[in-house]
Amino acid sequence: GGNVVREFEQAYAEAYGVKHCISVANGTDAIYITLKMLGIGPGDEVITVANSWISTSETISQTGATPVFVDVDDYFHINVSGIQQKITNKTKAIVPVHIYGQPVNMGGIEELCEKNNLFLIEDCAQSHFAEYDGQRVGTFGIAGTFSFYPGKNLGAYGDAGAIITNDDELASKMRMYANHGALIKHAHKIEGINSRLDGLQAAILSAKLPHIHEWIKARQKVASIYDSLLNNIDEIVIPSRRPKTTHVYHLYVIKTKVRDNLQKYLNDHGVQSVVHYPTALPLLPAYDYLDYRPEEIPVAYKNQGEILSLPIYPEMTIQMVEYVVKKIQYAVLEIS
């Protein structure tokens, strides 16, 4: 708490063009607090995507509700055409994830939420300031949640998170719940949790915030170089770009049928790569009780063995990108 935290909240709200920014301890808490303060709990269902970090789904379970998973589309996002059949009289919300830095098809999601009277909560942990049709992610639904984990495009030096909203009543509830149920010390109106942003992290985020758009442009430049150099390698599928969106490239994720051998070759030659994420959420042991089968999420299941995140960060030079691509070319030749 304190002035430094309040200053960051105000700066982030102004930068995003929203009324409220509620800082919290981490991006996971941001989702949980939002769900909880919307009254979601036991007996409810919340629809989300099959490919994400477990924070997205575990927070649904933590409220007492049940996560309902939908397969992904060609952009690694929740497949809008598969959502309607998952909606029941228990469904209370949809949580799309703007994964890897690219916005979901928000037009289709908004229509579904309006049609079925559902809350729309956007998981923007990897997509700070990304845009769909000229509008920033996090501003389509009742609330948008963010992570400022050190590896994010806007990262602190430790765990940190925030929620944005234009709903005054919800903002007050979320701020209260995150601070032991009190807006004023010792005046606990409800039972809450302890999820407060540390002042040091707020100061770091305030210092970095003015540079975020410059860093996004640098990431986009790196991605465009990757696109042009990798597009001619038959064994590599470069990331698809959704029309009418601004991709901020938290991650640059390719697909290849020789993923495991390629990753080993790159690692042996000084190029680190990561799989985000090696197991689709409904197929994790944590969700055995839901009895999902691979054929229910065929695209996410197939992606498990093909996706690979290549190095990307604002300070990457053209020479660095060329080195990575050259090693990929060598690897493909050797593997073939």
Side-chain angles (χ1 to χ4, degrees):
N3 291 337
V4 177
V5 172
R6 286 190 288 272
E7 287 168 6
F8 169 69
E9 289 179 334
Q10 183 177 352
Y12 198 69
E14 289 178 356
Y16 234 89
V18 295
K19 292 172 68 175
H20 303 283
C21 170
I22 300 92
S23 62
V24 293
N26 52 70
T28 306
D29 282 0
I31 306 170
Y32 171 71
I33 291 166
T34 303
L35 292 166
K36 189 76 173 175
M37 291 302 96
L38 286 171
I40 292 168
D44 296 335
E45 294 178 349
V46 177
I47 294 173
T48 192
V49 68
N51 176 53
S52 182
W53 179 239
I54 196 170
S55 293
T56 309
S57 52
E58 70 182 354
T59 51
I60 296 169
S61 301
Q62 286 163 3
T63 68
T66 301
V68 176
F69 297 103
V70 174
D71 201 12
V72 300
D73 60 18
D74 292 339
Y75 306 95
F76 305 112
H77 296 142
I78 190 168
N79 192 329
V80 176
S81 63
I83 295 176
Q84 184 63 58
Q85 65 192 56
K86 297 285 188 176
I87 296 174
T88 71
N89 59 3
K90 296 180 179 180
T91 308
K92 293 296 186 294
I94 301 176
V95 183
V97 181
H98 303 291
I99 203 163
Y100 303 154
Q102 181 165 218
V104 175
N105 173 10
M106 293 311 298
I109 297 278
E110 277 190 307
E111 290 174 12
L112 279 169
C113 287
E114 290 172 7
K115 175 184 174 183
N116 296 280
N117 193 29
L118 304 175
F119 291 120
L120 172 55
I121 303 155
E122 298 174 71
D123 183 342
C124 310
Q126 300 184 6
S127 57
H128 313 69
F129 295 97
E131 295 182 1
Y132 175 86
D133 199 16
Q135 182 175 340
R136 286 176 176 157
V137 299
T139 64
F140 289 88
I142 187 74
T145 67
F146 293 84
S147 168
F148 302 120
Y149 182 77
K152 296 298 192 289
N153 288 17
L154 180 62
Y157 282 4
D159 279 315
I163 309 161
I164 61 171
T165 184
N166 285 315
D167 188 301
D168 296 340
E169 183 180 355
L170 179 61
S172 181
K173 285 182 178 179
M174 293 190 296
R175 191 177 296 281
M176 183 186 301
Y177 188 70
N179 189 41
H180 292 291
L183 293 174
I184 301 171
K185 194 169 184 178
H186 302 307
H188 305 278
K189 293 188 176 181
I190 59 173
E191 290 182 325
I193 62 172
N194 177 13
S195 183
R196 292 172 293 194
L197 179 63
D198 181 80
L200 176 61
Q201 306 306 339
I204 290 163
L205 290 168
S206 290
K208 295 174 84 172
L209 181 58
H211 304 281
I212 185 62
H213 295 294
E214 172 191 344
W215 292 336
I216 287 171
K217 288 180 181 177
R219 284 176 176 273
Q220 291 168 336
K221 182 179 179 180
V222 172
S224 68
I225 299 170
Y226 268 134
D227 282 350
S228 62
L229 297 178
L230 290 172
N231 202 33
N232 297 320
I233 305 176
D234 292 338
E235 292 80 358
I236 305 298
V237 178
I238 64 174
S240 298
R241 279 285 307 277
R242 186 181 296 282
K244 303 191 298 182
T245 66
T246 301
H247 198 321
V248 298
Y249 289 102
H250 170 58
L251 297 172
Y252 186 89
V253 182
I254 62 170
K255 291 198 293 185
T256 176
K257 296 185 184 302
V258 295
R259 193 273 307 284
D260 293 344
N261 288 332
L262 172 59
Q263 186 175 29
K264 184 180 184 306
Y265 185 97
L266 291 177
N267 186 64
D268 291 343
H269 291 81
V271 177
Q272 185 183 32
S273 59
V274 180
V275 179
H276 297 90
Y277 299 94
T279 306
L281 287 173
L283 302 182
L284 287 169
Y287 297 107
D288 283 349
Y289 73 99
L290 293 175
D291 293 325
Y292 276 85
R293 303 182 306 279
E295 53 266 31
E296 294 179 81
I297 49 163
V299 182
Y301 180 66
K302 182 173 182 287
N303 285 349
Q304 288 182 158
E306 298 184 359
I307 53 177
L308 188 65
S309 302
L310 300 181
I312 186 167
Y313 52 95
E315 296 79 16
M316 276 191 82
T317 64
I318 294 176
Q319 291 76 20
M320 289 177 178
V321 180
E322 290 175 340
Y323 178 84
V324 174
V325 174
K326 187 176 293 184
K327 293 305 175 186
I328 292 174
Q329 290 172 324
Y330 290 160
V332 168
L333 287 172
E334 188 172 299
I335 294 165
S336 300

